[in-house]
Amino acid sequence: MSEPGKSLLSSPTSSGGQPAGSDTYKGWLYKWTNYLKGYQRRWFVLSNGLLSYYRTQAEMAHTCRGTISLTTAHIEVGDACHLVLTSGGRSYHLKATSDGESQRWVSALQQAKANASHMMHQSDDSGDEAPVPQPDRALTQGALKTLASKLDDLSTCNELIGKHGAALQRSLSELEDLRTATDGTDKLKTVNERATLFRITSNAMINACRDFLDVAETHSRRWQRALQYEREQRHHLEETIEQLAKQHNSLERAWREAPNGGDGTQEGDASDENEDTEFFDAMEDSPAFITDSGSNNVQLRRVRRSRIPNKPNYSLNLWSIMKNCIGKELSKIPMPVNFNEPLSMLQRLTEDLEYSDLLDRAARCESSLEQMCLVAAFSVSSYSTTIHRTAKPFNPLLGETYELDRLDDFGYRSICEQVSHHPPAAAHHVTSQRGWTLWQEITIDSKFRGKYISVMPLGCIHLQFHSSGNHYVWGKVTSTVHNIIVGKLWIDQSGDIEIVNHRTKDTCHLKFVPYSYFSRDLSRKVTGVVADSEGTAHHILSGTWDDKMESAKIVESSRGCGGSEGKQKTLYQTLQPKVLWKKYPLPENAENMHFFSSLALTLNEPEEGVAPTDSRLRPDQRLMEAGLWDEANAHKQRLEERQRLERRKREAQATQGFQPLWFERRTDDSTGDSTYVYRGGYWEAKDRQDWSQCPEIF
């Protein structure tokens, strides 16, 4: 028999892990959290058929980060010390520090699963009147199963005591029959009485334990109600704090956008992201939401990510790759992901909507000329994100798409599709609930000139306001990346943009002044004039494409002298200028995250329900964002070879060629140009989750 006070099951032997088969197994494992944080070191405790984890050992006293039941869990063992636990729709991706440690954990988990399954079949589960949240229910049932397990151990002891006691009594009875001495008989009777009392006592102990279990079952619902109330109170407090943080952020943004506000803003003060803030891992496995109580109807709103993994420090000689490509089109040069950023060209095109609030304001304008000023500011704002973005986006595969549904916070949703590969062309359509629709088809023509790369977007951007019917059309300027061979890369924008309102014939001419070492002008300068259909100037625009734009209303104009080639210059007298647009400060640590803006950080965030052709699902781009550049290059080469094979198949079959799924070519009524426009059906297909039409491109 066991020594008094010892459990029939072995107890933990150390804090760093125990042999398989022990009642409790503890130790450090690495748990996958998300693409932003990757694997994080966590303290795991395996006990009573439940695997729980904590951020530190000290947290065991007050905060459990998550629990998974092994009763119905599936244990999958991978290579390189990896293992995956799946139960009830939840999965833990774990990694041990060594093969030996991994084997010990697997053995302990399998043994615990077997014990939990055996215990489940033996226990009588009466059920509760109402459903209980899974984590709390698992903890409560675990406690009851622990008591039931101990009761089984005690029942085993009772059976042994009963058997040995009965045998002892039979032996003593036989001795009593053989012995006739009075003293011997008295002693044997005393021993017999003590054996009987021992069995009675053991029965009483069993009954007391059974009563304890009944009491625990009776009070479990009361405990559950108390835990549920505390859980709801904590969740309500978290929602309230997040709501206050959102309101603070909205007020801060509104202050920066105000005409007289934001001029004295310091970038360091504008940050509302705390570097030291830590969040529960349990919240990392599912999307986070905040509440918006601006109306009587409380709506859940998703909180978008604000960080991506830091860019690895890879060194590569660009000249060794590009020295034989001078004069060629950039899209035809096979480039490793080392020169990319983890976004596709479709996502970069969608990033033009960073300052969509300018169009929301323009939709409320009664004056078409003032509306033109805001449209011009919007056209300039799309270049502000490029000041530090010298890496190239991924060339989309033919048929690749990208959606951005921001109806809940920005009021618009956007869909892009790659409609041509040579030359690369993308079609884009945006519809806003705040009074405007934007569509464009952009073809990229790029040349490598030896010292610099020129990127020339061809095509037109169309913008129409619903209430007035004003239809604006404009193009894009040339982007140039300098110092390709030697020195630090830097980017410049140069050229002219002519914005035309085809309903009123108002115009705006914007000039992006190219950088010149000998010029005394402000770097990255943009100037413009807004004129009516008669050619009369009404507003002067000025600013820089990387910071802000201002407009000044003209009150008087006169002819001056000193123009070039004998032409007279026009002198304007204006009112005090007003700020139309000011760039948002970059997020903290942006220099290690490809200099992405707040919107850009969210563009490649995984999203449920998107089309299988969506850029978020592109494996080489996803791996590059995670910092796995070697694996990304291998996938990139595979995808490009597959695309070339598909093109050769189409050419061999002499078919009509590639036909976009969501866009079709039409002639624009206002401009007379042929362009790709949205044919409809994408969002309806998403609602039905019917993607049977989509090609398999990844």
Side-chain angles (χ1 to χ4, degrees):
M1 294 181 59
S2 302
E3 296 180 25
K6 291 283 186 179
S7 170
L8 292 181
L9 298 176
S10 59
S11 58
T13 59
S14 70
S15 62
Q18 292 76 34
S22 64
D23 187 21
T24 301
Y25 194 82
K26 305 176 183 178
W28 291 103
L29 285 173
Y30 287 86
K31 176 183 176 292
W32 175 263
T33 55
N34 52 36
Y35 282 103
L36 179 61
K37 295 185 178 180
Y39 282 96
Q40 296 292 318
R41 191 168 181 255
R42 297 291 181 257
W43 179 254
F44 280 82
V45 177
L46 174 60
S47 178
N48 304 313
L50 297 173
L51 180 66
S52 305
Y53 73 96
Y54 310 82
R55 184 161 289 171
T56 62
Q57 293 173 260
E59 277 193 348
M60 291 177 62
H62 55 82
T63 305
C64 178
R65 301 286 171 170
T67 300
I68 192 168
S69 174
L70 293 176
T71 306
T72 58
H74 174 68
I75 303 173
E76 180 181 350
V77 181
D79 55 356
C81 308
H82 287 76
L83 57 145
V84 181
L85 268 67
T86 305
S87 177
R90 302 185 67 187
S91 296
Y92 285 178
H93 294 258
L94 308 175
K95 183 171 65 173
T97 55
S98 65
D99 290 334
E101 183 66 17
S102 176
Q103 288 297 324
R104 286 190 290 273
W105 270 104
V106 169
S107 299
L109 291 169
Q110 291 175 341
Q111 182 65 42
K113 174 178 168 64
N115 293 341
S117 300
H118 179 69
M119 189 183 304
M120 182 182 67
H121 292 310
Q122 287 188 342
S123 62
D124 181 15
D125 187 8
S126 60
D128 293 328
E129 290 132 354
V132 180
Q134 192 65 29
D136 295 336
R137 185 185 184 90
L139 291 172
T140 304
Q141 290 180 346
L144 295 177
K145 288 178 180 179
T146 301
L147 293 173
S149 175
K150 299 303 180 184
L151 181 59
D152 288 341
D153 293 342
L154 291 172
S155 297
T156 301
C157 293
N158 181 57
E159 291 177 3
L160 294 173
I161 292 172
K163 290 179 181 179
H164 292 304
L168 177 62
Q169 284 182 325
R170 285 195 298 272
S171 299
L172 293 175
S173 297
E174 292 172 355
L175 289 174
E176 186 177 1
D177 293 337
L178 294 174
R179 305 278 183 166
T180 56
T182 304
D183 295 340
T185 302
D186 292 340
K187 290 182 180 180
L188 291 173
K189 287 182 178 180
T190 301
V191 173
N192 202 346
E193 289 175 358
R194 289 179 178 176
T196 303
L197 289 173
F198 178 72
R199 192 169 74 172
I200 293 173
T201 303
S202 65
N203 287 333
M205 179 178 62
I206 295 296
N207 292 332
C209 290
R210 185 175 287 113
D211 292 340
F212 176 75
L213 181 60
D214 291 339
V215 172
E217 290 176 339
T218 302
H219 287 78
S220 64
R221 293 185 182 88
R222 183 183 303 172
W223 299 338
Q224 181 56 49
R225 286 195 297 269
L227 287 172
Q228 180 67 15
Y229 174 78
E230 294 296 333
R231 181 175 177 272
E232 291 174 353
Q233 291 298 310
R234 173 180 168 180
H235 182 66
H236 178 69
L237 180 61
E238 289 174 350
E239 287 184 338
T240 303
I241 294 173
E242 289 174 345
Q243 179 184 345
L244 291 174
K246 181 66 176 178
Q247 291 174 351
H248 170 76
N249 188 39
S250 299
L251 289 172
E252 188 178 64
R253 174 172 289 190
W255 178 76
R256 288 199 303 264
E257 294 173 356
N260 297 324
D263 292 341
T265 304
Q266 297 181 4
E267 293 192 7
D269 297 334
S271 172
D272 52 16
E273 182 73 22
N274 187 351
E275 185 74 26
D276 297 327
T277 302
E278 292 188 352
F279 299 93
F280 286 106
D281 288 353
M283 298 176 65
E284 294 168 353
D285 295 334
S286 58
F289 293 88
I290 61 171
T291 57
D292 178 16
S293 303
S295 61
N296 293 330
N297 297 325
V298 178
Q299 297 179 344
L300 292 178
R301 182 174 295 176
R302 177 173 177 174
V303 177
R304 306 283 173 169
R305 70 181 185 182
S306 59
R307 296 180 185 177
I308 60 174
N310 286 354
K311 176 183 177 182
N313 186 20
Y314 277 80
S315 61
L316 196 64
N317 187 354
L318 179 61
W319 179 245
S320 65
I321 294 176
M322 305 189 69
K323 61 184 178 181
N324 297 321
C325 304
I326 297 177
K328 294 183 181 179
E329 187 178 339
L330 189 61
S331 62
K332 295 183 179 180
I333 302 174
M335 300 276 286
V337 300
N338 305 55
F339 302 117
N340 286 54
E341 61 180 15
L343 290 178
S344 74
M345 190 62 206
L346 302 180
Q347 291 164 310
R348 282 291 295 267
L349 204 59
T350 307
E351 198 179 344
D352 287 356
L353 301 172
E354 174 96 29
Y355 298 94
S356 63
D357 59 295
L358 290 171
L359 301 184
D360 299 340
R361 289 163 53 192
R364 300 190 295 268
C365 280
E366 296 182 0
S367 167
S368 63
L369 294 171
E370 292 180 358
Q371 188 179 73
M372 174 68 85
C373 293
L374 288 167
V375 172
F378 174 78
S379 69
V380 175
S381 69
S382 63
Y383 298 96
S384 64
T385 61
T386 67
I387 180 63
H388 301 294
R389 303 269 288 279
T390 54
K392 68 184 291 287
F394 280 77
N395 290 329
L397 302 175
L398 193 60
E400 187 172 331
T401 61
Y402 179 72
E403 69 155 76
L404 186 64
D405 189 347
R406 303 301 292 267
L407 286 177
D408 58 342
D409 46 1
F410 297 143
Y412 68 77
R413 56 186 184 182
S414 160
I415 175 66
C416 287
E417 182 177 11
Q418 187 76 358
V419 296
S420 173
H421 190 64
H422 288 301
H428 184 202
H429 182 85
V430 191
T431 301
S432 173
Q433 294 178 334
R434 299 174 185 176
W436 53 270
T437 299
L438 182 145
W439 66 98
Q440 59 181 321
E441 177 197 343
I442 298 297
T443 300
I444 300 298
D445 184 17
S446 51
K447 298 292 184 182
F448 176 47
R449 306 295 186 183
K451 291 184 178 181
Y452 61 90
I453 293 174
S454 295
V455 180
M456 296 149 286
L458 308 176
C460 292
I461 304 168
H462 296 256
L463 171 67
Q464 188 164 26
F465 291 99
H466 302 165
S467 59
S468 64
N470 287 337
H471 182 179
Y472 296 87
V473 180
W474 70 94
K476 286 180 171 285
V477 297
T478 298
S479 301
T480 306
V481 181
H482 294 270
N483 287 350
I484 296 299
I485 298 178
V486 65
K488 183 179 180 181
L489 294 175
W490 61 279
I491 195 167
D492 194 24
Q493 314 288 349
S494 60
D496 295 338
I497 292 180
E498 190 77 20
I499 307 176
V500 179
N501 182 343
H502 283 270
R503 191 184 74 85
T504 65
K505 307 305 179 185
D506 299 338
T507 61
C508 174
H509 182 81
L510 291 172
K511 182 176 181 60
F512 287 65
V513 181
Y515 173 80
S516 174
Y517 180 80
F518 302 100
S519 175
R520 288 180 292 180
D521 284 339
L522 186 67
S523 298
R524 299 177 281 277
K525 182 178 179 181
V526 180
T527 60
V529 178
V530 174
D532 59 21
S533 58
E534 303 296 328
T536 303
H538 290 266
H539 296 272
I540 295 292
L541 304 179
S542 62
T544 58
W545 53 263
D546 68 323
D547 185 24
K548 67 178 180 179
M549 287 295 294
E550 297 178 337
S551 70
K553 185 176 178 59
I554 299 173
V555 294
E556 185 179 344
S557 61
S558 60
R559 294 288 180 180
C561 59
S564 61
E565 299 179 359
K567 296 180 181 179
Q568 288 184 323
K569 295 179 64 175
T570 303
L571 302 179
Y572 297 111
Q573 183 179 349
T574 65
L575 299 178
Q576 189 72 17
K578 297 188 301 182
V579 176
L580 295 172
W581 158 76
K582 184 170 179 60
K583 180 186 177 183
Y584 300 144
L586 289 174
E588 290 186 19
N589 196 42
E591 65 277 7
N592 294 318
M593 299 187 295
H594 308 275
F595 285 100
F596 280 180
S597 65
S598 297
L599 177 63
L601 288 172
T602 69
L603 293 181
N604 206 44
E605 186 174 10
E607 189 88 19
E608 293 184 359
V610 299
T613 52
D614 196 274
S615 297
R616 299 176 180 87
L617 304 177
R618 182 166 172 166
D620 52 352
Q621 186 174 304
R622 177 63 60 195
L623 287 166
M624 188 216 167
E625 183 188 270
L628 305 174
W629 286 15
D630 293 336
E631 294 88 339
N633 277 316
H635 276 279
K636 184 173 185 289
Q637 185 176 1
R638 175 185 63 83
L639 292 174
E640 291 173 349
E641 181 57 36
R642 178 175 179 175
Q643 183 169 239
R644 285 190 288 268
L645 180 61
E646 291 294 329
R647 185 179 73 249
R648 287 194 291 267
K649 284 182 180 179
R650 286 193 299 269
E651 293 173 351
Q653 296 171 357
T655 58
Q656 187 179 0
F658 176 78
Q659 296 297 320
L661 189 56
W662 310 110
F663 289 81
E664 61 184 3
R665 186 168 288 283
R666 296 180 194 165
T667 300
D668 186 84
D669 295 335
S670 300
T671 64
D673 296 332
S674 177
T675 184
Y676 278 100
V677 296
Y678 179 56
R679 72 169 70 192
Y682 179 87
W683 302 107
E684 293 78 7
K686 183 181 180 182
D687 291 339
R688 299 190 307 269
Q689 281 299 292
D690 178 13
W691 302 116
S692 56
Q693 304 178 70
C694 294
E696 184 180 348
I697 62 175
F698 298 141

